[in-house]
Amino acid sequence: MGWGGVGATLVGCDLPTTVTLEEGKEKVVSYLMPEEYVIPGVGVWYASTCQQCPSGCGIHGRVREGRVLKLEGNPASSVNKGRLCQMGQASLQAHYNPDRISKPKIRRGSSLVDASWEEAYGLIAEKTANISGSKFAWMTGSISGHQSVLLQAYLESIGSGNHFVHETINNAVWAKVSQDMLGDSNPRIRLDKAQSVLSFGADFLGTWGSPLHFSTEYAKFRTSPRGILIQVEPNMTLTGANADLWVASRPGSEGALALGIANQLVSKHGLSMSGLPGSVQSLIRSYTLDETVTATGVDADRIADIAATLKRRSPSVVLAGASAQGHEHGYQCVAAAMVLNVILGNIGKTIESNGEFAYASMAPVSGNTQSLVSFSQAAADKRFDVAFFSGVNPVYTAPKSLGLKESLANIPFKVVFSHFNDETTAMADVVLPLASAEEDWGTHVAPYQAGVGEISIQQPLMEPLSTETRGFGDIVLTLLKKRKETAYEGFADYYAYLRNAFSTIPAEHKNGASDDQFWADVLAAGLIDVGVKETSLKVKGVEFDMPKEMGNSSAMVLAPSARLGFWDGRHANLPWLQEAPDQISKVVWDSWAELHPSTAKKIGVKEGDMVKIASASGEINVKVYIYKGVHPDVIAVPLGQGHDADFSRYAKDRGVNSLSILDAKVDRMTGELALYSTNVKVTKAAKTDDVLVRFGGSETQVGRKLVSTIPADVYERTEGGDHVA
Ligand code: SF4
């Protein structure tokens, strides 16, 4: 790693290989005179940052003879501590993907045709020359670091404040509730200190928060004395599959269940409600055991046992995520979960202050779906003349009921920064081909950091595969120069900009090193910790209600569940992830709908049969996978497939997009899309010749006793364990 500083620059510039993506045109030059730091056959590892999801994990990339061959986690990163998930591993397939866009494109009539960068930049400069700030918008995914600084500078140069930050998989409601009730939108969660965890739909091992960080913390939670995990959710997630007790919930009932557990803790176990507003105390008193059973359908014994476990296995931590926040009263459900933390005395023990990142302009800006809703509305109202899109594919992630695809016709000039053709590039007037994560420079601040303020560096791991792609920072820098922003004229490229930015980092973080040595040290380590401003948590009395009708209807509900794999659909073009069996169903290369056996029987379908799922906003046809890890009133169709644009040869025309048929309902407090509140009608559809391809094939042991089980009470008696009855 000592080579990091020097090597990274040389890797990008000096190696004599010539590589193209076009079959038949590849030119191989024998490697007779490698650079002196290259030992043929010996790999060198360089530090960088994963860009496959917003978590910001540190990586090491193994480079051999000028090509990056393998990625692993950077042990120095406090986010992932040396781990790398399958999405991170598959980043190489995004980099080497044969379907990457390798040239700028400009719309001519109904087609996008290849163009030069000069033409693309010229057109953008022309369309933005005299634009009024309010007529310009930029939609990005979660963003931080110097990319965020430059993006804000560009918005300022235009006089626009219209930055929409969109992520379908997000913690926006948890952040809002934490801010309102604790004064910190991003508190530190100490799984390592907890003896029990109750999670309402927070898939913290898969898609919630910072999955790799929480996976390492979870490992500590499970060491002696082994912590107890209780997961409440409509369909089983990776976290649910690891739980000691998994409780199937009807979407919308999570808040009532949390209040019912709170009632038990107060009435049966003598815990105090002090600190909570009188109205919330009355609400908790109203959720008696009978009332809670009626509202949730969960057994009285089960509710009482969860409360007893949380009391006995203290300190605990209570979390709330996707399915808990995904309806019209999502805020209230998450607030009810946070109330449990207050009653259980977890604040300050397992939920701590996390501090605040010291450099506001580089601080992470996390995405949500409220921005997608408000952008769609603004587009429908013809508020924008020019819109940029980067790091997002809103035409795919927006439910059709939002009408975004049609409203985009109201924006006369659309520029999309992208690595691949997708549903949004298909609507663009200009497409700018991006360098891959392994070819680009950047700095990133992970949105969830455990009490530290790390800036993680992204450095190119190899020479660009195409001479016609550009780094995001380089493009924004060029656009700023085109707007005659003189402050940027001295920077030849984004690399020069970053070098200069690092020279301005306060001396206290440089350990007496010169600017050059400091830069080399940061590249070698992959990060620098600039600390955080101390903050403190203070429980505030927030009032909320809980409509009694929530969660006790019997209509079928669609659950568009997320997976650490395709994520929000952005990775469906990576064959490793198509080939990797789903963590729950083991399905490969397809979509499926999860149905409870009792529901499947009512509908008259068996595994592999096709069902039609119809909402008020559309319908999809998909094969069914039948198992017990789903609530009988729920049909779950995981996210990711169903791309209708030319999103690579691997994803095109494969499976269905469950987001597409969601109703345009939102959480009334935060405006977040209510992803788990679309009622659907499910009927048997005509069978196709396709089979549902699953790895494995059987979920029973067919009497072979491959895994032995014993009743919990026997375990407790003979092994001294603790269990949830
Ligand atoms: S959790 Fe996200 S950032 Fe971390 S390795 Fe996986 S994809 Fe990359």
Side-chain angles (χ1 to χ4, degrees), residues 431-501:
V431 178
L432 302 177
L434 287 171
S436 76
E438 285 76 10
E439 298 166 338
D440 202 3
W441 286 101
T443 55
H444 303 274
V445 180
Y448 182 87
Q449 299 201 35
V452 295
E454 286 173 0
I455 302 171
S456 182
I457 193 99
Q458 179 189 353
Q459 64 178 318
L461 299 175
M462 65 177 280
E463 188 177 2
L465 289 164
S466 163
T467 54
E468 289 288 314
T469 54
R470 298 280 185 276
F472 179 80
D474 281 309
I475 297 173
V476 184
L477 197 59
T478 305
L479 292 173
L480 277 163
K481 289 180 186 171
K482 297 265 180 210
R483 294 195 62 77
K484 310 219 179 330
E485 295 295 318
T486 51
Y488 301 92
E489 278 169 5
F491 304 117
D493 53 22
Y494 188 47
Y495 171 76
Y497 174 83
L498 283 184
R499 286 296 310 260
N500 178 69

Coordinates of all heavy atoms in Angstrom, one line a residue, residues 431-501:
V431 N -26.8 12.6 -23.5 CA -26.3 11.6 -22.6 C -24.8 11.8 -22.5 O -24.1 11.7 -23.5 CB -26.6 10.2 -23.0 CG1 -26.1 9.2 -22.1 CG2 -28.1 10.0 -23.2
L432 N -24.3 11.9 -21.2 CA -22.8 12.1 -21.0 C -22.3 10.8 -20.4 O -22.7 10.4 -19.3 CB -22.6 13.3 -20.0 CG -23.2 14.6 -20.5 CD1 -22.9 15.7 -19.4 CD2 -22.6 15.0 -21.8
P433 N -21.4 10.1 -21.1 CA -20.9 8.8 -20.6 C -19.9 9.0 -19.5 O -18.9 9.7 -19.7 CB -20.2 8.2 -21.9 CG -19.8 9.4 -22.7 CD -20.8 10.5 -22.4
L434 N -20.2 8.4 -18.4 CA -19.3 8.5 -17.2 C -18.2 7.5 -17.1 O -18.4 6.3 -17.6 CB -20.2 8.4 -15.9 CG -21.1 9.5 -15.6 CD1 -22.0 9.1 -14.4 CD2 -20.3 10.8 -15.3
A435 N -17.1 7.9 -16.6 CA -16.0 6.9 -16.2 C -16.6 6.0 -15.2 O -17.4 6.4 -14.4 CB -14.8 7.7 -15.7
S436 N -16.1 4.8 -15.1 CA -16.5 3.9 -14.1 C -16.0 4.3 -12.7 O -15.0 5.1 -12.6 CB -16.1 2.4 -14.4 OG -14.7 2.3 -14.1
A437 N -16.5 3.6 -11.7 CA -16.0 3.9 -10.3 C -14.5 3.6 -10.2 O -13.8 4.2 -9.4 CB -16.8 3.1 -9.3
E438 N -14.1 2.6 -11.0 CA -12.7 2.2 -11.0 C -11.8 3.1 -11.8 O -10.6 2.8 -11.9 CB -12.6 0.7 -11.5 CG -13.0 -0.3 -10.4 CD -14.6 -0.4 -10.3 OE1 -15.2 0.2 -11.2 OE2 -15.1 -1.0 -9.4
E439 N -12.4 4.1 -12.5 CA -11.6 4.9 -13.4 C -11.6 6.4 -12.9 O -11.0 7.2 -13.6 CB -12.2 4.9 -14.8 CG -12.2 3.5 -15.5 CD -13.0 3.4 -16.7 OE1 -14.0 4.3 -16.8 OE2 -12.8 2.6 -17.5
D440 N -12.3 6.6 -11.9 CA -12.6 8.0 -11.5 C -12.0 8.5 -10.2 O -11.8 7.6 -9.3 CB -14.1 8.2 -11.5 CG -14.5 9.7 -11.7 OD1 -13.7 10.5 -12.0 OD2 -15.8 10.0 -11.6
W441 N -11.9 9.8 -10.1 CA -11.5 10.4 -8.8 C -12.7 10.9 -8.0 O -13.7 11.2 -8.6 CB -10.6 11.6 -9.0 CG -9.2 11.3 -9.5 CD1 -8.7 11.3 -10.7 CD2 -8.1 10.8 -8.6 NE1 -7.4 10.9 -10.8 CE2 -7.0 10.6 -9.5 CE3 -8.0 10.6 -7.3 CZ2 -5.8 10.2 -9.0 CZ3 -6.7 10.2 -6.8 CH2 -5.6 10.0 -7.6
G442 N -12.6 10.9 -6.7 CA -13.6 11.5 -5.9 C -13.3 11.4 -4.4 O -12.3 10.8 -4.0
T443 N -14.1 12.1 -3.7 CA -14.0 12.0 -2.2 C -15.5 11.7 -1.7 O -16.4 12.2 -2.3 CB -13.5 13.3 -1.5 OG1 -14.3 14.4 -2.0 CG2 -12.0 13.5 -1.9
H444 N -15.6 11.0 -0.7 CA -16.9 10.6 -0.2 C -16.9 10.6 1.4 O -16.0 10.2 2.0 CB -17.3 9.2 -0.7 CG -17.2 9.1 -2.2 ND1 -18.3 9.4 -3.0 CD2 -16.2 8.7 -3.0 CE1 -17.9 9.3 -4.2 NE2 -16.7 8.8 -4.3
V445 N -18.1 11.0 1.9 CA -18.3 11.0 3.3 C -19.5 10.0 3.5 O -20.6 10.3 3.1 CB -18.6 12.4 3.9 CG1 -18.8 12.3 5.4 CG2 -17.5 13.4 3.5
A446 N -19.2 8.9 4.2 CA -20.3 7.9 4.3 C -21.4 8.5 5.2 O -21.1 9.2 6.2 CB -19.7 6.7 5.0
P447 N -22.7 8.3 4.8 CA -23.8 8.9 5.6 C -23.9 8.3 7.0 O -24.3 9.1 7.9 CB -25.0 8.6 4.8 CG -24.6 7.6 3.7 CD -23.1 7.6 3.6
Y448 N -23.5 7.1 7.2 CA -23.5 6.5 8.6 C -22.1 6.2 9.0 O -21.5 5.4 8.4 CB -24.4 5.3 8.7 CG -24.4 4.8 10.1 CD1 -25.4 5.3 11.0 CD2 -23.5 3.9 10.6 CE1 -25.4 4.9 12.3 CE2 -23.5 3.5 11.9 CZ -24.4 4.0 12.8 OH -24.4 3.6 14.1
Q449 N -21.6 7.0 9.9 CA -20.3 6.7 10.5 C -20.4 6.6 12.0 O -21.2 7.4 12.6 CB -19.3 7.8 10.1 CG -19.1 8.0 8.6 CD -17.8 8.7 8.3 OE1 -16.8 8.5 8.9 NE2 -17.9 9.5 7.2
A450 N -19.7 5.7 12.6 CA -19.9 5.5 14.0 C -18.9 6.4 14.8 O -17.9 6.0 15.2 CB -19.6 4.0 14.3
G451 N -19.3 7.6 14.9 CA -18.6 8.5 15.8 C -17.3 9.1 15.2 O -16.5 9.7 15.9
V452 N -17.0 8.8 13.9 CA -15.8 9.4 13.3 C -16.2 10.2 12.1 O -17.4 10.2 11.7 CB -14.9 8.3 12.8 CG1 -14.3 7.5 14.0 CG2 -15.6 7.3 11.8
G453 N -15.3 11.0 11.6 CA -15.6 11.9 10.4 C -14.6 11.5 9.3 O -13.7 12.3 9.0
E454 N -14.8 10.3 8.7 CA -13.8 9.9 7.7 C -14.2 10.5 6.3 O -15.4 10.4 5.9 CB -13.8 8.4 7.6 CG -13.0 7.8 8.8 CD -13.1 6.2 8.8 OE1 -13.7 5.7 7.9 OE2 -12.6 5.6 9.7
I455 N -13.2 11.0 5.6 CA -13.4 11.3 4.2 C -12.7 10.2 3.5 O -11.5 9.9 3.7 CB -12.7 12.6 3.8 CG1 -13.3 13.8 4.6 CG2 -12.8 12.9 2.3 CD1 -12.5 15.1 4.5
S456 N -13.4 9.5 2.6 CA -12.9 8.3 1.9 C -12.5 8.8 0.5 O -13.3 9.4 -0.1 CB -13.9 7.2 1.9 OG -13.5 6.1 1.3
I457 N -11.3 8.3 0.1 CA -10.9 8.8 -1.2 C -11.2 7.7 -2.3 O -11.2 6.5 -2.0 CB -9.3 9.0 -1.2 CG1 -8.9 9.7 -2.5 CG2 -8.6 7.7 -1.1 CD1 -8.7 11.2 -2.3
Q458 N -11.6 8.2 -3.5 CA -11.8 7.3 -4.6 C -10.7 7.6 -5.6 O -10.6 8.8 -6.0 CB -13.2 7.6 -5.2 CG -13.5 6.7 -6.4 CD -14.8 7.2 -7.1 OE1 -15.5 8.1 -6.6 NE2 -15.1 6.6 -8.2
Q459 N -9.9 6.6 -5.9 CA -8.9 6.9 -6.9 C -9.0 5.9 -8.0 O -9.4 4.8 -7.9 CB -7.5 6.8 -6.3 CG -7.1 5.5 -5.7 CD -5.7 5.5 -5.1 OE1 -4.8 6.1 -5.7 NE2 -5.5 4.8 -4.0
P460 N -8.6 6.3 -9.2 CA -8.6 5.3 -10.4 C -7.8 4.1 -10.1 O -6.7 4.2 -9.6 CB -8.1 6.1 -11.5 CG -8.1 7.6 -11.1 CD -8.0 7.6 -9.6
L461 N -8.3 2.9 -10.4 CA -7.6 1.7 -10.2 C -6.9 1.3 -11.5 O -6.1 0.4 -11.5 CB -8.5 0.6 -9.6 CG -9.1 1.0 -8.3 CD1 -10.1 -0.1 -7.9 CD2 -8.1 1.2 -7.2
M462 N -7.3 1.9 -12.6 CA -6.7 1.6 -13.9 C -7.0 2.6 -14.9 O -7.9 3.5 -14.7 CB -7.1 0.2 -14.4 CG -8.6 0.0 -14.7 SD -8.9 -1.6 -15.4 CE -8.4 -1.4 -17.1
E463 N -6.4 2.5 -16.0 CA -6.6 3.4 -17.1 C -8.0 3.3 -17.7 O -8.5 2.2 -17.7 CB -5.6 3.0 -18.2 CG -5.5 3.9 -19.4 CD -4.4 3.4 -20.4 OE1 -3.8 2.4 -20.1 OE2 -4.2 4.1 -21.4
P464 N -8.7 4.3 -18.1 CA -10.0 4.2 -18.6 C -10.1 3.2 -19.8 O -9.2 3.2 -20.6 CB -10.4 5.6 -19.1 CG -9.5 6.5 -18.3 CD -8.2 5.7 -18.1
L465 N -11.2 2.4 -19.8 CA -11.3 1.5 -20.9 C -11.7 2.2 -22.2 O -11.4 1.7 -23.3 CB -12.4 0.5 -20.6 CG -12.1 -0.5 -19.5 CD1 -13.3 -1.2 -18.9 CD2 -11.1 -1.5 -20.0
S466 N -12.3 3.4 -22.1 CA -12.7 4.1 -23.3 C -12.1 5.5 -23.1 O -12.1 6.1 -22.1 CB -14.2 4.2 -23.4 OG -14.5 5.3 -24.3
T467 N -11.6 6.0 -24.2 CA -11.0 7.4 -24.2 C -12.2 8.4 -24.2 O -11.9 9.6 -24.0 CB -10.1 7.6 -25.4 OG1 -10.9 7.3 -26.6 CG2 -8.9 6.8 -25.4
E468 N -13.4 8.0 -24.4 CA -14.5 9.0 -24.6 C -15.4 9.1 -23.3 O -16.4 9.7 -23.4 CB -15.3 8.6 -25.8 CG -14.7 8.8 -27.1 CD -14.6 10.3 -27.4 OE1 -15.5 11.0 -27.3 OE2 -13.5 10.7 -27.8
T469 N -15.1 8.4 -22.2 CA -15.8 8.6 -21.0 C -15.1 9.7 -20.2 O -13.9 9.9 -20.4 CB -15.9 7.3 -20.2 OG1 -14.6 6.8 -20.0 CG2 -16.8 6.3 -20.9
R470 N -15.9 10.3 -19.3 CA -15.3 11.3 -18.4 C -15.7 11.1 -17.0 O -16.8 10.7 -16.7 CB -15.8 12.7 -18.8 CG -15.4 13.1 -20.2 CD -13.9 13.6 -20.3 NE -13.6 14.1 -21.6 CZ -13.2 13.4 -22.7 NH1 -13.1 12.1 -22.5 NH2 -12.9 13.9 -23.8
G471 N -14.9 11.5 -16.0 CA -15.2 11.5 -14.6 C -16.3 12.5 -14.3 O -16.4 13.6 -14.9
F472 N -17.1 12.2 -13.3 CA -18.2 13.2 -12.9 C -17.6 14.5 -12.5 O -18.1 15.6 -13.0 CB -19.0 12.6 -11.7 CG -20.1 13.5 -11.3 CD1 -21.3 13.5 -11.9 CD2 -20.0 14.3 -10.1 CE1 -22.3 14.4 -11.5 CE2 -21.0 15.1 -9.7 CZ -22.2 15.1 -10.4
G473 N -16.6 14.5 -11.7 CA -16.0 15.8 -11.3 C -15.4 16.6 -12.4 O -15.5 17.8 -12.5
D474 N -14.8 15.8 -13.4 CA -14.2 16.5 -14.5 C -15.3 17.2 -15.4 O -15.2 18.3 -15.9 CB -13.5 15.5 -15.4 CG -12.1 15.2 -14.8 OD1 -11.4 16.2 -14.6 OD2 -11.8 14.0 -14.7
I475 N -16.5 16.5 -15.5 CA -17.6 17.1 -16.3 C -18.1 18.3 -15.6 O -18.3 19.4 -16.3 CB -18.7 16.0 -16.5 CG1 -18.2 14.8 -17.3 CG2 -19.9 16.7 -17.2 CD1 -19.2 13.7 -17.3
V476 N -18.3 18.3 -14.3 CA -18.9 19.4 -13.6 C -17.9 20.6 -13.7 O -18.3 21.7 -13.9 CB -19.3 19.1 -12.2 CG1 -20.0 20.3 -11.5 CG2 -20.3 17.9 -12.2
L477 N -16.6 20.3 -13.5 CA -15.6 21.3 -13.6 C -15.6 22.0 -14.9 O -15.6 23.2 -15.0 CB -14.2 20.7 -13.3 CG -13.1 21.6 -12.9 CD1 -13.4 22.4 -11.6 CD2 -11.8 20.7 -12.7
T478 N -15.7 21.2 -16.0 CA -15.8 21.8 -17.3 C -17.0 22.6 -17.5 O -17.0 23.7 -18.1 CB -15.8 20.6 -18.4 OG1 -14.7 19.8 -18.2 CG2 -15.7 21.2 -19.8
L479 N -18.2 22.2 -17.0 CA -19.4 22.9 -17.1 C -19.3 24.3 -16.4 O -19.8 25.3 -16.8 CB -20.6 22.1 -16.6 CG -21.0 20.9 -17.4 CD1 -22.1 20.1 -16.6 CD2 -21.5 21.3 -18.7
L480 N -18.6 24.2 -15.2 CA -18.4 25.5 -14.5 C -17.5 26.4 -15.3 O -17.8 27.6 -15.3 CB -17.7 25.2 -13.1 CG -18.7 24.7 -12.0 CD1 -17.9 24.1 -10.9 CD2 -19.5 25.9 -11.5
K481 N -16.5 25.9 -15.9 CA -15.6 26.8 -16.7 C -16.4 27.4 -17.9 O -16.2 28.5 -18.2 CB -14.4 26.0 -17.2 CG -13.4 25.6 -16.1 CD -12.3 24.9 -16.7 CE -11.3 24.4 -15.7 NZ -10.3 23.4 -16.2
K482 N -17.3 26.6 -18.4 CA -18.1 27.0 -19.6 C -19.0 28.2 -19.1 O -19.4 29.0 -19.9 CB -19.0 25.9 -20.2 CG -18.2 24.8 -20.7 CD -18.0 24.9 -22.2 CE -17.2 23.8 -22.8 NZ -16.4 24.1 -23.9
R483 N -19.3 28.2 -17.8 CA -20.2 29.3 -17.3 C -19.3 30.5 -16.9 O -19.8 31.4 -16.2 CB -21.0 28.8 -16.2 CG -22.1 27.8 -16.6 CD -23.2 27.6 -15.6 NE -23.9 28.8 -15.3 CZ -24.8 29.3 -16.1 NH1 -25.2 28.7 -17.2 NH2 -25.4 30.5 -15.8
K484 N -18.0 30.4 -17.3 CA -17.1 31.4 -17.0 C -16.9 31.7 -15.5 O -16.8 32.9 -15.1 CB -17.4 32.7 -17.8 CG -17.7 32.5 -19.3 CD -17.2 33.6 -20.1 CE -17.5 33.4 -21.6 NZ -17.5 32.1 -22.1
E485 N -16.9 30.7 -14.8 CA -16.6 30.8 -13.3 C -15.1 30.8 -13.1 O -14.5 29.8 -13.2 CB -17.3 29.6 -12.6 CG -18.8 29.6 -12.6 CD -19.4 30.8 -11.9 OE1 -19.0 31.2 -10.9 OE2 -20.4 31.3 -12.5
T486 N -14.6 32.0 -13.0 CA -13.1 32.2 -13.0 C -12.4 31.4 -11.9 O -11.2 31.1 -12.0 CB -12.8 33.7 -12.9 OG1 -13.5 34.2 -11.8 CG2 -13.1 34.4 -14.2
A487 N -13.1 31.2 -10.8 CA -12.5 30.5 -9.7 C -11.9 29.1 -10.0 O -11.1 28.6 -9.3 CB -13.5 30.4 -8.5
Y488 N -12.4 28.6 -11.1 CA -12.0 27.2 -11.5 C -11.0 27.1 -12.6 O -10.6 26.0 -13.0 CB -13.3 26.4 -11.8 CG -14.2 26.3 -10.6 CD1 -15.3 27.3 -10.5 CD2 -14.1 25.4 -9.6 CE1 -16.1 27.3 -9.4 CE2 -14.9 25.4 -8.5 CZ -15.9 26.4 -8.4 OH -16.7 26.4 -7.3
E489 N -10.7 28.3 -13.2 CA -9.8 28.3 -14.4 C -8.4 27.7 -14.1 O -7.8 27.1 -15.0 CB -9.7 29.7 -14.9 CG -10.9 30.0 -15.8 CD -11.0 31.5 -16.1 OE1 -10.0 32.2 -15.8 OE2 -12.0 31.9 -16.8
G490 N -8.0 27.8 -12.9 CA -6.6 27.3 -12.6 C -6.5 25.8 -12.5 O -5.4 25.3 -12.4
F491 N -7.6 25.1 -12.5 CA -7.6 23.6 -12.4 C -7.7 22.9 -13.7 O -8.7 23.0 -14.4 CB -8.7 23.1 -11.4 CG -8.7 23.8 -10.1 CD1 -9.7 24.6 -9.7 CD2 -7.6 23.7 -9.2 CE1 -9.7 25.2 -8.4 CE2 -7.6 24.3 -8.0 CZ -8.6 25.1 -7.6
A492 N -6.6 22.2 -14.1 CA -6.6 21.6 -15.4 C -7.7 20.5 -15.4 O -8.3 20.2 -16.4 CB -5.2 21.0 -15.7
D493 N -7.8 19.8 -14.3 CA -8.8 18.7 -14.2 C -9.3 18.5 -12.8 O -8.8 19.2 -11.9 CB -8.3 17.4 -14.9 CG -6.9 17.0 -14.3 OD1 -6.7 17.5 -13.1 OD2 -6.2 16.3 -14.9
Y494 N -10.1 17.5 -12.6 CA -10.7 17.3 -11.2 C -9.6 16.8 -10.3 O -9.6 17.1 -9.1 CB -11.8 16.3 -11.3 CG -12.6 16.1 -10.0 CD1 -13.0 17.2 -9.3 CD2 -12.9 14.8 -9.6 CE1 -13.7 17.0 -8.1 CE2 -13.6 14.6 -8.4 CZ -14.0 15.7 -7.7 OH -14.7 15.5 -6.5
Y495 N -8.6 16.1 -10.8 CA -7.5 15.6 -10.0 C -6.8 16.8 -9.4 O -6.5 16.9 -8.2 CB -6.6 14.7 -10.9 CG -5.3 14.4 -10.2 CD1 -5.2 13.5 -9.2 CD2 -4.1 15.1 -10.6 CE1 -4.0 13.2 -8.6 CE2 -2.9 14.8 -9.9 CZ -2.9 13.8 -9.0 OH -1.7 13.5 -8.3
A496 N -6.5 17.8 -10.3 CA -5.8 19.0 -9.8 C -6.7 19.8 -8.8 O -6.1 20.3 -7.8 CB -5.5 19.9 -11.0
Y497 N -7.9 19.8 -9.0 CA -8.9 20.4 -8.0 C -8.8 19.7 -6.7 O -8.7 20.3 -5.6 CB -10.3 20.3 -8.6 CG -11.3 20.8 -7.6 CD1 -11.6 22.2 -7.5 CD2 -12.1 19.9 -6.9 CE1 -12.6 22.7 -6.6 CE2 -13.0 20.4 -6.0 CZ -13.3 21.7 -5.9 OH -14.2 22.2 -5.0
L498 N -8.8 18.3 -6.7 CA -8.7 17.6 -5.4 C -7.4 17.8 -4.7 O -7.3 17.9 -3.5 CB -8.9 16.1 -5.7 CG -10.4 15.6 -6.0 CD1 -10.4 14.1 -6.1 CD2 -11.3 16.1 -4.8
R499 N -6.3 17.8 -5.5 CA -5.0 18.0 -4.9 C -4.9 19.3 -4.2 O -4.4 19.4 -3.1 CB -3.9 18.0 -6.0 CG -3.5 16.7 -6.6 CD -2.9 15.7 -5.6 NE -1.8 16.3 -4.8 CZ -0.5 16.1 -5.0 NH1 -0.2 15.4 -6.0 NH2 0.4 16.7 -4.2
N500 N -5.5 20.3 -4.8 CA -5.5 21.7 -4.2 C -6.4 21.6 -3.0 O -6.0 22.2 -1.9 CB -6.1 22.7 -5.2 CG -6.1 24.1 -4.6 OD1 -5.1 24.7 -4.3 ND2 -7.3 24.5 -4.3
A501 N -7.6 21.0 -3.1 CA -8.5 20.9 -1.9 C -7.8 20.2 -0.7 O -7.9 20.7 0.4 CB -9.7 20.1 -2.3

